[in-house]
Amino acid sequence: MSTSGPRDLVDPYGRVVRDLRIAVTDRCNFRCTYCMPEEGMEWIPRSEILTFEEITRVARICVERYGFEGIRLTGGEPTIRHDFTRLVEQLAGLGVDVAVTTNAATLRNIAHELRAAGLHRINISLDTLDRAKFERMTRRDELDHVLAGIAAAQDAGFEPVKINAVIERGVNDDELVDLARFGREHGLEVRFIEFMPLDATDEWQRSKVVGQDEIVRLIGEVWPIEQEPARGAAPADRWRYLDGKGLVGVIPTVTKPFCGDCDRVRLTADGQLRTCLFATDEFDLRAALRAGETDDQIADRIERAVGTKWAGQQINQVNFIRPKRNMSQIGG
Ligand code: SAM
Ligand code: SF4
């Protein structure tokens, strides 16, 4: 236990790290084409997956020592982890903002209990409103369940519920306006995500990316919008509908990288600390936890990792190296 209060965890470029993204599993009940292969994904052996107690310990160190303000649970699909609500409860007990990113396939069954467990915010992935296309994109016929999950999240009192939509040219870019309309009509904040080179099958190409400027232009042609002031450390740029129907966002990782404001580190399901989605290095906290290291020693490892955080990802450089892991293994 640290004797003094929290102090800033500052990276070599002066950014204060305050946000921890935790992949609670690498497994998933969907097989989104931009994320996973249809078959043949190699799962992390269960013995290597962090326990809830190990996850909570790392989170507690980040909160107590460095004043982390937010924890986002992701994966893989976080809700398929057995007893997921208990983890939410443990982390909410640290007194920080706890959020989850989910595909919502089973959310209708647990939205209320997650709310009661202290979950603050929820982001739901939905890339299309067309049932056949949904099945092509996720390789599962689950659109109705996802829509029920969105309704359940709203019914449970999450406000706003945010929708993540990855847009891939030639796949679902024809639905941009329909997805935006769906958000406006249902009081949801839709955030369009630029397709990133983190798919497992290496099919990403720059030509498949629909960039922020194009997305904003297409929406602005239908409804007048105005950009919100600076986003701070959050990844989405946001626009307000001038008719009062809420907000729409874009996460422009490829065309307008926002690394200069990044406040995040990530913990993979097998306990590797990463300082960037696109990092090629990892820091093994699982080995440290299981070797019986003290909080001081683990904190020291976290500080050393953050000491290597780079200025920014290199997607737009010729020497870009894809990380060995795909999005579901890193935790998007
Ligand atoms: N399974 C949950 C879900 O889909 O919401 C959480 C994990 S998923 C990896 C987190 C987010 O990453 C989702 O919004 C998903 O759409 C997004 N994602 C996955 N692969 C991506 C890619 N190649 N480019 C951009 N976003 C991607
Ligand atoms: Fe699963 Fe989420 Fe990846 Fe889709 S994006 S395969 S739901 S982890």
Side-chain angles (χ1 to χ4, degrees), residues 28 32 34-35 73-78 101-104 123-125 127 164-166 193-199 204 327-328 331-332:
C28 188
C32 303
Y34 52 71
C35 180
L73 301 174
T74 176
E77 175 47 42
T101 304
T102 174
N103 64 26
N123 289 17
I124 296 175
S125 301
D127 310 316
N164 288 353
V166 178
I193 304 179
E194 292 182 355
F195 181 29
M196 303 174 207
L198 288 172
D199 53 318
W204 181 88
M327 190 67 115
S328 63

Side-chain angles (χ1 to χ4, degrees), residues 70-97:
I71 295 173
R72 176 168 295 278
L73 301 174
T74 176
E77 175 47 42
T79 61
I80 66 170
R81 176 102 186 232
H82 177 67
D83 224 2
F84 177 63
T85 306
R86 187 167 65 85
L87 177 64
V88 169
E89 206 166 33
Q90 284 181 14
L91 294 170
L94 297 173
V96 288
D97 183 276

Side-chain angles (χ1 to χ4, degrees), residues 66-294:
Y66 307 116
F68 274 39
E69 295 164 347
I71 295 173
R72 176 168 295 278
L73 301 174
T74 176
E77 175 47 42
T79 61
I80 66 170
R81 176 102 186 232
H82 177 67
D83 224 2
F84 177 63
T85 306
R86 187 167 65 85
L87 177 64
V88 169
E89 206 166 33
Q90 284 181 14
L91 294 170
L94 297 173
V96 288
D97 183 276
V98 181
V100 65
T101 304
T102 174
N103 64 26
T106 60
L107 189 60
R108 65 194 183 285
N109 303 323
I110 55 168
H112 285 81
E113 72 181 51
L114 287 175
R115 185 78 183 163
L119 186 68
H120 295 98
R121 291 182 295 128
I122 200 152
N123 289 17
I124 296 175
S125 301
L126 175 69
D127 310 316
T128 172
L129 296 163
D130 177 278
R131 182 170 168 190
K133 196 187 289 182
F134 187 96
E135 188 169 359
R136 279 200 301 281
M137 288 188 79
T138 64
R139 301 187 177 106
R140 298 290 185 269
D141 184 13
E142 290 281 341
L143 176 61
D144 286 351
H145 285 156
V146 172
L147 296 177
I150 294 171
Q154 291 186 302
D155 187 55
F158 292 102
E159 168 62 32
V161 172
K162 293 185 184 171
I163 301 295
N164 288 353
V166 178
I167 301 297
E168 210 181 320
R169 192 174 302 286
V171 178
N172 62 343
D173 53 333
D174 58 333
E175 277 194 81
L176 264 167
V177 167
D178 291 342
L179 285 162
R181 182 178 295 110
F182 177 76
R184 286 167 51 86
E185 288 174 354
H186 291 88
L188 302 157
E189 186 176 326
V190 176
R191 294 130 41 97
F192 295 103
I193 304 179
E194 292 182 355
F195 181 29
M196 303 174 207
L198 288 172
D199 53 318
T201 46
D202 209 2
E203 274 156 34
W204 181 88
Q205 289 170 18
R206 187 162 294 272
S207 60
K208 293 184 181 172
V209 177
V210 181
Q212 173 166 294
D213 289 347
E214 184 177 341
I215 293 171
V216 171
R217 181 175 52 75
L218 290 169
I219 292 172
E221 280 171 7
V222 184
W223 302 282
I225 48 177
E226 181 179 73
Q227 186 159 11
E228 287 284 279
R231 69 165 114 77
D237 288 321
R238 308 200 303 169
W239 283 260
R240 181 170 295 283
Y241 292 109
L242 293 184
D243 63 2
K245 288 273 193 177
L247 294 159
V248 62
V250 182
I251 300 182
T253 312
V254 180
T255 66
K256 297 183 199 293
F258 37 85
C259 308
D261 295 319
C262 180
D263 68 347
R264 291 173 280 285
V265 286
R266 292 167 194 274
L267 186 65
T268 64
D270 55 349
Q272 309 301 304
L273 193 70
R274 303 173 58 90
T275 58
C276 175
L277 254 184
F278 298 91
T280 45
D281 289 331
E282 298 184 338
F283 296 80
D284 190 356
L285 295 191
R286 185 187 72 233
L289 290 161
R290 295 188 181 175
E293 290 195 4
T294 63

